[in-house]
Amino acid sequence: MECYQNGGPKLSACAPTVIVPSCNCRGNTSRRMLNCIYLTGIEEVDVTFCDCTPDPITLLENHLFPASPTQPRVAFHLSFLDLYSELRAEGHLSCQAFASGFSTLNKFEHPDTIRRALANAFFEYLRVKEDVNRVLSKYEQQDCSSEIIECPDVPRKKIRMNEKHFLLMATSSLDVVSAMIKKMT
């Protein structure tokens, strides 16, 4: 299923009910139910994590950003965080007001849960996004003879230099994101 259109995520993409790791290592796995916050609502998703990949990386590969760096129970879709970022910048919307309005629209009985999780995730998301953008701007400044470069630390993952969406940056620069996640823990 194509998840992007016009350089950004499809807003109408259906939320998955199950997420499995992308590795083939046959390592130890664990399953956890997460409340995933999408623009279209709140979904409970069954996520399988593998010991070979940090939990936040598994979530990032699925367009989700964790509310905590270890053992997350809540995750936000990247487009949800981008929407809040725009509303915060343009309309000075507080986290509490946004969480309360979203909870009311989705008939979620515990708006404070979303507010706390959003407050935990949002500023870390902005920091990670800024760091990844900085690394990618270094790639762009290099003389690249082709439109696609391969990340040396992540075989079989490629990035198109003309696509700027955060998820593509994060999943193609997993080494950078992994280092940032380690700083958070």
Side-chain angles (χ1 to χ4, degrees), residues 12 104 165:
S12 61
T104 299
H165 186 264

Side-chain angles (χ1 to χ4, degrees), residues 48-86:
T48 301
F49 295 99
C50 182
D51 286 347
C52 74
T53 306
D55 294 358
I57 299 300
T58 299
L59 294 173
L60 275 172
E61 289 176 337
N62 289 280
H63 316 252
L64 296 165
F65 195 86
S68 65
T70 58
Q71 300 289 316
R73 298 281 180 203
V74 177
F76 295 91
H77 194 269
L78 298 178
S79 60
F80 182 91
L81 292 170
D82 284 336
L83 172 66
Y84 176 61
S85 180
E86 288 296 318

